[in-house]
Amino acid sequence: MIYKRSSALFAEAEKVIPGGVNSPVRAFKGVGGTPVFVKEAKGAYLYDEDGNRLVDYINSWGPMILGHAFEPVVNAVVEKAKKGTSFGMPTEIETQIAELAVSMVPNIDKIRFVNSGTEACMSAVRLARGYTGKDKIIKFAGCYHGHSDSFLIQAGSGASTFGSPNSPGVTKGTAKDTLLARYNDIENVKALIEGNKNEIACIIIEPVAGNMGCIPPKSGFLEAIRSLCDTHNILLVFDEVMTGFRLAKGGCQELFNVKADIVCFGKVIGGGLPVGAFAARNEIMNHLAPLGPVYQAGTLSGNPLAMAAGLAMLTELNSHAEVFIRLEEKTAYLHEGIAKVLNDNNITHTINRVGSMISVHFDEAEVVDFDTAAKGNNDTFKKFFHGMLDSGVYIAPSAFETWFITDALSYEDLDFTIAAVNKVSKFL
Ligand code: KE4
């Protein structure tokens, strides 16, 4: 594949944007080489600036669950834009998408829209602290909840790629209130609670981790955390920025039948426009300004364009819940196909999958937490990434990420991908 124009565009971008990108993981630091610049996208395909067609397994890191430039979303945004893009005043469409989201997701009465997953998680933690009157939080090593200070303590995703567990700029004062637990290790969570009695406002978790590759919760893990939260008066925050409206209509609360106290959303809920949200039952959400004392705000929060995209997306998913079954079937087919060709080529690997989230790890050990995810052979991953890219398949440019399956993928696309893995495997 030729990346001449992407390389030229990257050189220009680097002069005026730090690292040439507006989000670090896009810079290919985890895999080397220069990033591919995309010109446009439709359905399951990206078309880069050099005219290459790429089968897309990132889908903007999750939002494009129904494919790029999905007609109902595009049409909704175009029509809404003609009537004004933002007012800073309440609009009916905010209520419409809020009512729909509340009807789709269990255990929430109210939802507040913001502009990113980071904002959603940051606000959820502030709300938990304000509601409980306690300062500390527990997060899990390798989980990523956005780039708010409280979370950049051994975060996943790009922060892991950079191997910078604690980002400079995060004060010691902030870091001391974030306790770090090991994913899938309930004894470790218990020990942290015992050691910080009556000081913990919430436990925030990715119910299916997606920022150290895809890591499912071990059987009973989420239920055990729920029980500890009930015993110790701690709020359970499900960060469903990735899993919300992807793994089930009602997200992981529905999938695992575990009740969260606050749920955070992003990605799919915005249909590709900047939308985050956090939601809870009335007794918690009524602590939020202007009703209650916990402050949170945003100029563009609930703006009509983003709401139009999100409403069109959620409406589609709500009225065609069979999409979730198709996504599961397509991802299982891909999983089986990739596993077969990697085994046929004697490539040491393990594959984690939940619903339409999947990740390939080049290590034989089971990947259950950040430490085991970090054991993957990154040199092999880099060769794999570039081999797949040169074969016309775009996967996550980091071993600490998840592939996101879109319903726009056909079985021909999946076979094309499996054949690419087979070809690439011979050079790993
Ligand atoms: P944003 O602020 O990037 O919209 O959302 C932060 C966030 C919160 N919670 C979870 C579980 C997330 O996965 C994310 C963001 N995901 C990364 C991909 N691993 C975004 C990609 C990027 O940083 O460019």
Side-chain angles (χ1 to χ4, degrees), residues 24-330:
V25 73
R26 304 176 192 169
F28 279 20
K29 293 295 182 202
V31 291
T34 56
V36 171
F37 276 58
V38 64
K39 188 181 187 109
E40 58 188 300
K42 179 68 180 166
Y45 311 125
L46 300 166
Y47 299 90
D48 75 12
E49 286 285 356
D50 290 283
N52 302 309
R53 190 199 82 167
L54 302 170
V55 179
D56 186 12
Y57 285 95
I58 295 300
N59 288 294
S60 182
W61 301 99
M64 304 304 157
I65 192 170
L66 299 176
H68 288 285
F70 184 65
E71 292 286 309
V73 170
V74 173
N75 295 340
V77 171
V78 168
E79 287 314 306
K80 187 59 83 172
K82 291 174 186 170
K83 298 171 183 162
T85 54
S86 182
F87 313 114
M89 297 162 69
T91 56
E92 182 185 15
I93 195 168
E94 293 164 82
T95 307
Q96 290 169 332
I97 186 175
E99 286 171 341
L100 180 54
V102 167
S103 74
M104 293 170 77
V105 176
N107 308 311
I108 64 172
D109 299 317
K110 289 196 177 80
I111 187 167
R112 171 63 60 85
F113 288 96
V114 294
N115 303 282
S116 70
T118 296
E119 253 195 286
C121 295
M122 175 181 78
S123 308
V125 161
R126 184 182 308 136
L127 178 58
R129 285 170 162 154
Y131 177 76
T132 61
K134 297 185 278 183
D135 292 346
K136 292 185 177 176
I137 68 170
I138 291 178
K139 80 171 284 287
F140 292 84
C143 282
Y144 179 70
H145 308 294
H147 62 91
S148 158
D149 282 4
S150 292
F151 302 138
L152 289 182
I153 314 293
Q154 200 156 22
S157 182
S160 299
T161 304
F162 282 72
S164 57
N166 294 320
S167 167
V170 176
T171 67
K172 289 188 178 59
T174 300
K176 73 173 175 43
D177 284 335
T178 298
L179 305 171
L180 213 53
R182 259 189 309 281
Y183 201 81
N184 277 322
D185 182 343
I186 197 61
E187 292 309 316
N188 182 236
V189 180
K190 279 180 189 165
L192 284 172
I193 292 174
E194 286 307 315
N196 296 273
K197 273 200 179 305
N198 302 319
E199 293 185 83
I200 299 167
C202 69
I203 295 177
I204 184 167
I205 188 167
E206 292 179 55
V208 169
N211 287 289
M212 26 184 171
C214 173
I215 298 184
K218 282 183 179 169
S219 170
F221 180 59
L222 296 176
E223 294 81 350
I225 293 176
R226 176 70 269 169
S227 168
L228 285 169
C229 286
D230 291 340
T231 305
H232 296 280
N233 185 29
I234 296 170
L235 293 187
L236 178 53
V237 181
F238 270 11
D239 174 353
E240 296 223 49
V241 168
M242 269 191 185
T243 59
F245 307 109
R246 169 170 283 280
L247 296 187
K249 190 191 288 193
C252 283
Q253 289 189 98
E254 176 188 321
L255 190 66
F256 296 106
N257 193 25
V258 173
K259 180 174 168 292
D261 296 304
I262 303 177
V263 195
C264 303
F265 300 105
K267 300 180 193 282
V268 172
I269 197 171
L273 266 65
V275 179
F278 57 107
R281 57 188 185 274
N282 279 323
E283 67 172 311
I284 296 174
M285 291 304 275
N286 292 347
H287 271 66
L288 264 183
L291 267 183
V294 179
Y295 196 69
Q296 178 276 325
T299 303
L300 294 172
S301 294
N303 80 77
L305 281 201
M307 295 292 96
L311 181 59
M313 175 64 83
L314 294 194
T315 301
E316 193 71 24
L317 293 173
N318 189 48
S319 46
H320 298 290
E322 68 277 8
V323 168
F324 297 106
I325 296 164
R326 278 206 304 273
L327 283 165
E328 172 83 32
E329 289 168 349
K330 288 180 179 178

